[in-house]
Amino acid sequence: MHRRSVEDPEGFWGEIGRELPWIEPFTEVLDWSEAPVAKWFTGGKLNASAICLDQHLALRGEKKAIIWEGEPGDVREFTYRELHAEVGKFAAALKARGLKKGDRVAIYMPMIPELTVAVLACARVGAPHSVIFGGFSAQAIRDRVEDGDCSVVITADGGWRRGKVLPLKQEVDAALEGYEGVHSVVCVRRGENEVAWTEGRDCWYHELMDAVEEPAAPEPMDSEDVLFLLYTSGSTGKPKGIVHTTAGYMAGAYLSTRYVFDLREDDVYWCTADVGWVTGHSYIVYGPLANGATVVMYEGAPTTPHPGRFWELCEKHGVTIFYTAPTAIRTFMRLGDEHIAEHDLSKLRLLGTVGEPINPEAWIWYHKLIGGERCPIVDTWWQTETGGIMISPLPGVQVTKPGSATRPFFGVDAGVVDEQGQPVEDGKGGYLVIKKPWPGMLRGIWGDEERFKETYWSKFPGLYFPGDGAVRDEDGCFWILGRVDDVLNISGHRLSTMEVESALVSHPSVAEAAVVGMPDEVTGEAICAFVTPRKEIEDPDALEKELIIHVANEIGKLARPKEIRFTDALPKTRSGKIMRRLLRDVAKGAEIAGDTTTLEDYTVLAKLRGDEA
Ligand code: WTA
C-alpha cells in the first residue's frame, strides 16, 4: 500500500477521498500547479462536521462519541446522535448571533465537551476556528484574535486545573479591552466562578441554546475552503497562523487515525492532548470522529487529585488505545510505579506518543509498565503544519525500535538531505524533508504568503522543510533528532526563542535578552534566558521573579524561563550576532555540573570562539 501511495498518490488518495461523504463529488485529486500551495479534491463540496457526525447517525447513532470526565470526577457522555444534536443547535445559535460562512471564530476553552461542540459547530457553519490553548495569556489571545480578525470568541467562565478553577473569561475580557472587532463572546458555564459581563457582547451558551428552534444543516464547503487556523511558533517573534483547508485535511486525519491506531469498532480511544494544540484537533476531534470512534476526553491535570489519575481513568472507562506525550511519560516515571500497579490496565492494546523525541528509556518504561509488554507503541512524528501523522509505525506491520518513529505514512515521501539538499547516506544525520505534496499539508500562513514560502520551501527548493534534523538507518527507519532552527520544544509545546526574547525585552529593566533551550529530564527542553539589565540591579532574585511573571503575562505560563542569568554583555560574534551555540553550551554545562562560573568569563570565551567563527 505504501509503495502505491507514493508511486501513484493520486490513484491512492482518490480512493481514500471517495470514502468520505461528499455533498458533491470532487473532480480532480491533486492540483499542484500553484506549488507550493496545493489543492486537493477540487470541484467537490463537503462539510467536516457532517463527516464527523451526520454520516454516523444511521449505523452509530446510539454509539458513544464522547466519554468526558472533569477533573473533580464528574462524567458526561454523548452518543453520536446527542453530539450531532448539540452541534447542530450550537451552529444555529452562532448563526443567530450573526456568524456567517468565512467569519473567523476564536475558541479559548477548558477541555470540556463544549469545546468539541464549538469546533464542530464552526465547521458546520463554515466559519474557520482558531483554537487558542487555555494556557495562553490575555496578550497572546489578543495577538491571535487580531491577526485572525476573529469576530466571535467562545470561552467558559472557568475550567478545572490542579484543583483550582482557572478564570478563562477573565483572560478573554482582558484580551479584548479596547478592541472593537469582536461582536460576540459566548461563555459556557463550567467553573461557576464569578465573571464580569459586557452587555450586548457577552452571552451565555446555555441561553443561546435554549433559544434555538431549528438545528443548522451543514454548510456545503469547497474542498479548499479554510477549516481552521492554528497558531504555532516559528523562528521569529510572531506566531504564525497555520492554515488548513477542508477535504485534504479531513482525508489525512481520517486515514491516519484508522491505520496508525488500528482503530476497531469497539475501541475506547483516549488522546491526552488538549484540543488547543494540533494533536487535539486531528486526534481528539476530527480523525477519531470521522471514523466513528468512542473518544475519551479529560478536563484536568494528569496528577490531580492523585498521581495515578490517568491510570484510574483508563481502568474506569475501559481505554484500549492511549496516546500521550513523552513529557507525560517521564513525569509518571518519576512519580513511582506503585501508582500504576493499583489499576487494571489490561484493556489497553495500543500505545502512542507524540510531540517530541522519546528517549529509549522512557519508551521501554511505557512499554513495560503501561503496555504490560503486550501493546505496540506508535511513536508518531508530525507537526501543526502537516495536519496529521507523517512518520509512524503501523502497529502489527512494522517492527518498532525504541526512539525511532520508524517509517513514513501512506502518501509520505520523506528523506534526509545535507546543506545542499543532496540525499545523505543511511545512518548519517541531516535535514528531514518531504518530497511530495500530501493532502493534510498546510496551505499557507494566514495573511503571510511570503513567510510561508520562505519558511518551508526556500531552504531546499521543491522540498518541504519541517525544521527537524533526522537520520534514516539501514532499515529505512527515521530517528528524529529535534529542531535545527530557533524553535524550542518544551513539554512538546512549541515556542520560539525570539518570542520569549521579545517578551523579556518588553520589560523596562531589560536591555537585551537571549534565550536558549537546555536539556530537562522531564520537559525534554527547558528555557534558559540570558539577560542584560538596563542598569545595575539591586535584587537579582526579585528581578528574576518579576521577569518570569512578565513572560507568563506576555505569552503564558508555558513560556516561563526555568532559569534567568544576568550578565553585563551577551557573547556575540564580531558582526554582532548572539552566539547561541555558546549560550546553549553554557546553559547545558551549568545544568550538568552546577557550574557557578560567571558569564563574563564566557564573554571572553565567546570572543575566542568568535575568532574561530
Ligand atoms: C516535534 C505536534 C520527535 C518536532 C504534533 C516537530 C517530534 C514539532 C515528534 C512539531 C516525534 C513531534 N518525535 N519529535 N514523534 N512529534 N515532534 O507543531 O520537532 O506542536 O517539528 O506538532 O514537534 O510540533 P507541533
Side-chain angles (χ1 to χ4, degrees):
M1 266 176 88
H2 187 267
R3 189 177 315 125
R4 168 155 190 246
S5 75
V6 290
E7 283 173 4
D8 176 22
E10 294 178 42
F12 177 87
W13 284 110
E15 275 168 29
I16 302 303
R18 276 184 283 277
E19 290 179 19
L20 299 177
W22 291 85
I23 298 168
E24 274 173 39
F26 59 90
T27 49
E28 194 181 3
V29 178
L30 169 66
D31 174 358
W32 191 226
S33 62
E34 285 165 45
V37 184
K39 293 196 188 109
W40 284 87
F41 308 112
T42 47
K45 287 201 188 293
L46 77 177
N47 183 289
S49 86
I51 298 174
C52 292
L53 302 168
D54 303 56
Q55 72 157 326
H56 301 309
L57 292 180
L59 292 176
R60 301 189 177 100
E62 309 323 314
K63 180 175 175 175
K64 283 177 202 167
I66 297 179
I67 302 174
W68 173 84
E69 183 153 340
E71 192 179 82
D74 42 339
V75 173
R76 288 164 70 196
E77 298 183 344
F78 290 75
T79 62
Y80 271 92
R81 194 172 307 289
E82 288 162 342
L83 187 61
H84 173 262
E86 190 83 3
V87 169
K89 227 169 143 181
F90 191 44
L94 289 170
K95 285 169 98 167
R97 284 293 298 196
L99 185 74
K100 294 182 305 295
K101 174 176 175 174
D103 294 350
R104 270 88 51 213
V105 179
I107 300 179
Y108 183 73
M109 286 176 76
M111 280 285 288
I112 54 177
E114 285 79 3
L115 171 51
T116 300
V117 171
V119 163
L120 292 173
C122 289
R124 203 164 186 84
V125 176
H129 51 77
S130 166
V131 185
I132 303 166
F133 173 61
F136 279 116
S137 70
Q139 186 58 49
I141 301 171
R142 172 64 167 265
D143 294 343
R144 287 159 176 75
V145 166
E146 272 196 55
D147 188 80
D149 194 11
C150 300
S151 55
V152 172
V153 179
I154 306 170
T155 187
D157 49 358
W160 286 91
R161 194 80 193 172
R162 297 204 174 81
K164 284 196 293 225
V165 172
L166 288 187
L168 296 165
K169 168 79 163 54
Q170 189 180 305
E171 290 296 313
V172 170
D173 288 336
L176 298 183
E177 229 175 83
Y179 186 68
E180 297 295 319
V182 168
H183 63 69
S184 299
V185 173
V186 183
C187 186
V188 178
R189 185 174 277 155
R190 163 61 185 158
E192 307 277 342
N193 47 318
E194 289 248 348
V195 288
W197 211 249
T198 303
E199 283 308 326
R201 185 195 73 180
D202 297 355
C203 40
W204 286 108
Y205 177 90
H206 57 271
E207 288 178 4
L208 291 187
M209 293 293 268
D210 283 347
V212 172
E213 281 168 11
E214 195 63 39
E219 184 72 33
M221 303 298 286
D222 282 345
S223 295
E224 286 299 334
D225 278 339
V226 176
L227 178 59
F228 65 85
L229 314 181
L230 184 57
Y231 285 81
T232 190
S233 295
S235 47
T236 75
K238 192 174 178 283
K240 38 192 180 181
I242 302 300
V243 177
H244 282 289
T245 57
T246 307
Y249 170 81
M250 287 305 297
Y254 158 74
L255 193 76
S256 54
T257 308
R258 184 166 112 201
Y259 280 106
V260 174
F261 300 110
D262 177 35
L263 208 59
R264 300 175 195 175
E265 199 55 50
D266 54 358
D267 273 316
V268 178
Y269 165 95
W270 183 20
C271 164
T272 71
D274 192 293
V275 173
W277 305 110
V278 75
T279 304
H281 282 60
S282 302
Y283 298 108
I284 295 177
V285 182
Y286 289 115
L289 296 180
N291 281 282
T294 296
V295 175
V296 171
M297 203 176 163
Y298 171 58
E299 176 185 37
T303 51
T304 305
H306 59 81
R309 182 66 162 137
F310 267 18
W311 321 123
E312 174 193 56
L313 290 168
C314 283
E315 176 176 1
K316 180 168 167 191
H317 300 296
V319 172
T320 58
I321 303 174
F322 181 75
Y323 188 33
T324 197
T327 290
I329 297 167
R330 289 190 295 262
T331 305
F332 292 122
M333 282 171 78
R334 291 188 141 200
L335 290 171
D337 300 350
E338 64 275 18
H339 307 294
I340 298 153
E342 288 164 16
H343 299 285
D344 177 7
L345 299 179
S346 61
K347 287 234 171 92
L348 284 175
R349 66 175 189 85
L350 181 65
L351 304 175
T353 77
V354 60
E356 30 171 344
I358 180 163
N359 45 315
E361 189 196 356
W363 195 104
I364 298 284
W365 182 90
Y366 195 32
H367 180 63
K368 283 200 177 138
L369 273 290
I370 306 304
E373 297 186 328
R374 82 185 171 271
C375 308
I377 296 179
V378 291
D379 172 359
T380 62
W381 177 85
W382 59 294
Q383 308 179 292
T384 306
E385 292 87 339
T386 67
I389 294 167
M390 298 292 277
I391 304 180
S392 167
L394 294 184
V397 177
Q398 273 136 25
V399 175
T400 52
K401 300 183 185 189
S404 168
T406 76
R407 287 159 183 278
F409 185 64
F410 298 122
V412 177
D413 192 355
V416 180
V417 300
D418 63 16
E419 196 65 46
Q420 279 70 45
Q422 295 307 312
V424 302
E425 265 172 67
D426 285 344
K428 293 240 163 70
Y431 300 101
L432 181 63
V433 292
I434 311 293
K435 299 186 255 181
K436 287 202 178 87
W438 66 100
M441 69 198 293
L442 78 164
R443 301 302 196 260
I445 293 175
W446 185 255
D448 203 342
E449 182 85 27
E450 264 325 292
R451 188 173 175 195
F452 165 61
K453 291 184 177 152
E454 162 69 28
T455 310
Y456 306 104
W457 304 93
S458 69
K459 189 167 173 73
F460 308 114
L463 302 175
Y464 172 81
F465 173 52
D468 279 295
V471 180
R472 185 172 55 194
D473 68 19
E474 302 70 39
D475 302 330
C477 286
F478 286 77
W479 299 74
I480 309 297
L481 302 173
R483 303 290 306 195
V484 296
D485 51 10
D486 289 327
V487 172
L488 303 171
N489 192 329
I490 318 290
S491 305
H493 300 155
R494 269 166 75 172
L495 280 170
S496 89
T497 52
M498 288 262 288
E499 223 174 328
V500 184
E501 284 163 8
S502 343
L504 284 166
V505 295
S506 71
H507 188 279
S509 306
V510 176
E512 209 177 17
V515 163
V516 296
M518 58 182 185
D520 185 279
E521 261 187 53
V522 175
T523 59
E525 226 176 353
I527 297 175
C528 179
F530 294 86
V531 168
T532 319
R534 283 199 184 277
K535 50 180 197 299
E536 190 95 20
I537 14 173
E538 277 146 32
D539 186 348
D541 288 345
L543 182 58
E544 173 164 8
K545 283 205 190 87
E546 199 178 313
L547 290 179
I548 290 173
I549 293 169
H550 179 72
V551 173
N553 288 337
E554 289 292 302
I555 305 175
K557 284 189 179 161
L558 70 164
R560 283 179 302 192
K562 190 175 176 193
E563 221 176 283
I564 295 186
R565 303 206 191 176
F566 295 107
T567 167
D568 287 341
L570 291 170
K572 288 183 185 164
T573 59
R574 270 189 247 125
S575 58
K577 255 185 103 168
I578 295 173
M579 299 188 66
R580 289 168 193 288
R581 184 167 46 92
L582 182 64
L583 292 176
R584 268 194 291 271
D585 289 347
V586 175
K588 197 162 40 182
E591 169 86 1
I592 297 157
D595 199 337
T596 53
T597 325
T598 61
L599 202 73
E600 285 93 305
D601 297 342
Y602 284 97
T603 318
V604 176
L605 199 91
K607 281 181 191 140
L608 292 174
R609 293 257 190 115
D611 286 339
E612 135 207 317

